[in-house]
């Protein structure tokens, strides 16, 4: 199962990235544990300086932008 984390303070962009990630995961018929991390210290521990950020299985895949579902899909493991 995938572990997907959305890092951000809960702003509109963070919420949109989470929705887009869920859509991409559903399109690929994958199972994922999705968490929204809002704690600043946890975000910094990932080395992220710009939010929102997308983390899959502990690897930061994007930060500082809202990826569209079509852009997230190829980043997800099979």
């Amino acid at each position: 199962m995938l572990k997907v984390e959305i890092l951000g303070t809960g702003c509109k962009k963070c919420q949109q990235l989470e929705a887009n990630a869920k859509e991409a995961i559903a399109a690929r018929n994958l199972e994922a544990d999705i968490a929204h991390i809002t704690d600043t210290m946890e975000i910094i521990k990932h080395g992220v300086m710009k939010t929102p950020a997308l983390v899959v299985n502990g690897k930061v895949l994007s930060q500082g932008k809202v990826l569209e579902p079509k852009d997230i899909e190829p980043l997800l493991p099979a």
Side-chain angles (χ1 to χ4, degrees), residues 3-76:
K3 181 178 179 187
V4 177
E5 296 171 305
I6 307 300
L7 308 181
T9 58
C11 66
K12 186 175 180 179
K13 287 183 179 183
C14 300
Q15 293 170 1
Q16 185 62 56
L17 180 59
E18 182 174 358
N20 291 353
K22 287 178 179 178
E23 187 176 324
I25 290 163
R28 296 270 311 271
N29 292 319
L30 299 172
E31 287 189 40
D33 179 23
I34 302 171
H36 195 128
I37 309 298
T38 57
D39 181 61
T40 306
M41 293 310 293
E42 284 298 314
I43 293 170
I44 292 171
K45 284 181 187 176
H46 281 86
V48 169
M49 300 308 282
K50 291 183 180 180
T51 59
L54 175 67
V55 179
V56 176
N57 293 336
K59 182 177 179 184
V60 178
L61 299 181
S62 77
Q63 58 180 308
K65 58 186 170 185
V66 178
L67 295 176
E68 293 297 321
K70 66 178 177 61
D71 298 321
I72 296 171
E73 282 185 52
L75 301 175
L76 299 173

